[in-house]
Amino acid sequence: MESFYSRYRNVLMLMAILLVQVIGLAVQVRRPATAAGRDGTQVRLIRYWVVGSLTPFEELFLFTGHGIRGAWNGYIDLRHVRQRDQSLQTEVDRLRLEQASLVEDVLQNQRLQALLGFKQQYIYQTVAAQVIGTSGTDQSRVLYIDKGSADGIHADMPVITPDGVVGKIRDVFAHASQVLEINDQTSGLGIILEKTRLRGILRGNATGQPEIINIPSDERVQSGEAVITSGGDQIYPRGLPVGTVERVVNDPERAPYVAILVQPAAKLSRLEEVLVITQIGSALPATEESDIVTSEQKAADVLAQRLPGADTGTTQPAIGPHGKLLPAQNPNAPPPPAQPTPSLHPDRFTPGATPPATTLRPGARYSRQIFPAQSASGVASAQPLGHPAPLARRKYPPRKPAQPAPAPTPAVAAPVAPVVVPPVIPLAAPAAPPPASEETKP
Amino acid sequence: MALLPNHAREEMDRHHFHPAVFFLVPLAAIFLQAYLPLRFPRFAVLDLPLIVTVYFAVSRRNPISGMLLGTGIGLTQDALTHLPIGINGILKAIVGYLAASIGMRIDVDNPGTRLLLIFFFMLLDSLFHLAIVRLLLDMPMEWHGLHEILRAVVNALAGVILFAVLDRLRKQE
């Protein structure tokens, strides 16, 4: 026995080590901590040790490099900075004008979404983080960032850049976190194509390119179409840019479905800084509201500088608690609709003189005093019927008083309560027309 | 490739290193493998931990130590991924064992031998990886033969250079 062991010692050791690791693999695959196969709340000890021992060196290298680069860029390499500053300022002015023109669309969209009961999600709070490392292998497309549980990071938080979606937080350590990129084969992201409104699931393929899988082959998708998040995965907010369609390819594993290769919007191979979305809300954040107000003001200033004679409407727009622009102070409101010239001698054909049809009764007469024009509040006061008053100015000969109506039933004879007309919320309230009485004054 | 007779095993010198080298060099290789692709994405095609495993295995010419070193390097690599821990551990253990076994029989100081050795172990590593992921873990994985061959060639060329650098860490006896 001893000779057998000494003879095959190396092979036996190899078998033993492989067996232990295979059993370990089987345990991990058989009992994933969660349905997603994540390590669960308690990260495996070996993973914690390795990440905890390597990330300080990665941060040291990173910050050293940033320091050297910052010193070079901030103090030495300053050529053409002034020209660049001027061009950027011009760009900022142009963008402010663009933003001001888009504000109305945004607010209108919010009002319509509120009417439909649609809950839009807005990014409330983000945490900026530096990318400090990778997994080092193509089979696992994960990143490490220098923010962890001590900074309020939790698993499944979305990670983005200004260009687009990067991935989501997978494992969280004390001062570092692991980010699963959208081009990993085990990732999954609910997306929607911007034009065709085609929904699907995006994940990475073997070469590290994101692809949308399980697409019917009869769908007509063109290259260049934008891909955005659908919000259906309950992780990523709706509407974040993901990428653009590159081309459609056959998917032999899922025939007859095809796959759509996507060019990611974020530069996944050259990430330096990312934003972790730590809070999402259903209303426009206060910072964005103030940004809109500031942008309106700045845009008006820019317009005033470029077009001195133009009425820039420098009054600051008032925005309600839910992002609704108050109508009376809307500087970008469209001009009020054309009103007919007030008549010198109003009669029953004058606009506004006719009472609402709902208040009319067969055989009853009315006058302008009984049914005054609706007030702006939408409440029209009504007089009891059967009490006619003479018209102020009649062009036609007075007629005999109408025969009194037959004795109404008690229910009808009761005074009619004021009719409440539902107020119509104008998207852009027109200015109130001047009262006719003033116009008719000599 | 110069084959050595069996009786030459005892005559061959086992290369010795400072104990810290066995710890720091693999750690540095894993660190560079995780850090450099951030700045140089093309660097991800290299597999420095595998090259280091092969180097120390053929230098020590001891299958058990090569296997243990490979297991340690592989498990550390696994800890940085989001995949189950043990995939690279198994791969590097096999590579370390085989590299040490071959190192007892051939002259591994020859650059040509080193080139072929690393090329062979890179392909072996890729094949075993495919087998483990598909058969043991039942996970989807695609195989691109040409890409793997090119990757093996690049790693073999880089390995020859790295072997020459690591030779300077040997203890002179």
Side-chain angles (χ1 to χ4, degrees), chain B residues 14-95:
Chain B
R14 286 185 178 178
H15 301 305
H16 293 275
F17 300 90
H18 192 278
V21 171
F22 288 107
F23 176 74
L24 291 179
V25 171
L27 202 62
I30 294 170
F31 168 75
L32 292 175
Q33 188 72 39
Y35 179 76
L36 287 182
L38 278 182
R39 299 282 167 266
F40 312 102
R42 301 273 181 193
F43 192 86
V45 76
L46 291 182
D47 194 345
L48 292 182
L50 182 95
I51 295 173
V52 169
T53 301
V54 172
Y55 177 79
F56 282 118
V58 298
S59 298
R60 291 297 303 267
R61 296 187 175 95
N62 183 345
I64 292 181
S65 69
M67 181 173 54
L68 291 177
L69 184 69
T71 301
I73 291 176
L75 291 178
T76 308
Q77 271 191 289
D78 284 329
L80 286 174
T81 69
H82 71 292
L83 300 173
I85 293 175
I87 298 175
N88 280 296
I90 293 174
L91 292 176
K92 297 293 190 294
I94 296 173
V95 168

Side-chain angles (χ1 to χ4, degrees), chain A residues 191-213:
Chain A
I191 56 92
I192 186 168
L193 298 184
E194 197 172 39
K195 288 180 184 173
T196 57
R197 312 310 290 175
L198 182 66
R199 288 176 176 268
I201 299 173
L202 181 136
R203 58 161 219 184
N205 60 15
T207 59
Q209 184 167 17
E211 64 178 9
I212 307 169
I213 56 174

Side-chain angles (χ1 to χ4, degrees), chain A residues 5 8-24, chain B residues 67-68 71 90 93 97:
Chain A
Y5 175 75
Y8 297 105
R9 187 183 60 171
N10 295 341
V11 178
L12 288 175
M13 282 289 291
L14 176 66
M15 299 298 287
I17 286 179
L18 294 184
L19 186 65
V20 168
Q21 294 189 77
V22 168
I23 291 173
Chain B
M67 181 173 54
L68 291 177
T71 301
I90 293 174
Y97 179 86

Side-chain angles (χ1 to χ4, degrees), chain A residues 44-368:
Chain A
R44 291 182 201 288
L45 206 55
I46 182 172
R47 205 159 264 169
Y48 193 89
W49 286 343
V50 170
V51 174
S53 58
L54 279 183
T55 49
F57 294 103
E58 290 173 336
E59 288 183 9
L60 180 68
F61 267 66
L62 187 81
F63 291 130
T64 305
H66 277 191
I68 294 172
R69 216 183 330 166
W72 173 262
N73 291 334
Y75 294 98
I76 300 172
D77 187 19
L78 293 175
R79 292 175 301 168
H80 310 302
V81 169
R82 203 174 298 277
Q83 292 92 323
R84 204 177 307 161
D85 179 59
Q86 287 177 351
S87 66
L88 287 176
Q89 189 60 45
T90 308
E91 182 77 6
V92 167
D93 290 345
R94 187 183 64 79
L95 291 175
R96 285 193 189 285
L97 285 173
E98 276 187 19
Q99 187 185 13
S101 66
L102 292 174
V103 163
E104 269 308 301
D105 292 341
V106 172
L107 297 178
Q108 179 180 349
N109 187 28
Q110 288 176 0
R111 283 192 293 268
L112 293 175
Q113 286 179 354
L115 287 175
L116 294 172
F118 180 81
K119 290 189 175 178
Q120 173 75 23
Q121 289 183 322
Y122 296 96
I123 298 171
Y124 264 26
Q125 192 176 4
T126 57
V127 172
Q130 295 274 349
V131 179
I132 56 175
T134 68
S135 70
T137 171
D138 288 341
Q139 281 75 41
S140 174
R141 299 190 182 274
V142 296
L143 298 172
Y144 284 90
I145 58 174
D146 65 342
K147 296 289 190 298
S149 57
D151 305 289
I153 306 294
H154 300 292
D156 284 339
M157 283 182 170
V159 181
I160 61 172
T161 66
D163 296 328
V165 176
V166 173
K168 66 176 182 179
I169 299 289
R170 190 177 177 278
D171 283 337
V172 183
F173 307 93
H175 299 288
S177 298
Q178 190 186 62
V179 179
L180 182 65
E181 292 183 282
I182 59 172
N183 61 345
D184 187 84
Q185 292 188 68
T186 61
S187 71
L189 166 65
I191 56 92
I192 186 168
L193 298 184
E194 197 172 39
K195 288 180 184 173
T196 57
R197 312 310 290 175
L198 182 66
R199 288 176 176 268
I201 299 173
L202 181 136
R203 58 161 219 184
N205 60 15
T207 59
Q209 184 167 17
E211 64 178 9
I212 307 169
I213 56 174
N214 292 339
I215 301 296
S217 56
D218 56 349
E219 293 287 349
R220 299 194 179 277
V221 179
Q222 292 183 340
S223 62
E225 184 172 357
V227 182
I228 58 177
T229 55
S230 67
D233 50 23
Q234 303 291 317
I235 293 177
Y236 300 94
R238 181 187 171 93
L240 294 178
V242 176
T244 54
V245 172
E246 188 173 303
R247 66 179 191 274
V248 180
V249 296
N250 290 324
D251 193 351
E253 293 182 359
R254 300 176 191 82
Y257 293 104
V258 296
I260 300 174
L261 295 182
V262 175
Q263 185 67 36
K267 298 172 184 172
L268 299 177
S269 60
R270 288 186 178 274
L271 290 171
E272 292 188 6
E273 292 176 345
V274 294
L275 294 171
V276 184
I277 301 175
T278 56
Q279 197 176 357
I280 295 173
S282 57
L284 201 63
T287 51
E288 289 193 20
E289 283 188 6
S290 64
D291 280 351
I292 289 174
V293 173
T294 308
S295 183
E296 289 271 352
Q297 185 70 35
K298 298 274 185 181
D301 294 343
V302 172
L303 269 180
Q305 289 175 1
R306 295 185 181 179
L307 303 170
D311 180 13
T312 57
T314 53
T315 54
Q316 188 166 305
I319 293 180
H322 298 290
K324 294 177 180 177
L325 211 59
L326 297 182
Q329 299 176 0
N330 186 356
N332 292 327
Q339 298 288 330
T341 307
S343 60
L344 293 176
H345 307 291
D347 53 14
R348 60 176 176 166
F349 302 107
T350 304
T354 306
T358 55
T359 60
L360 295 178
R361 286 185 54 216
R365 301 192 61 183
Y366 61 88
S367 68
R368 292 189 65 201

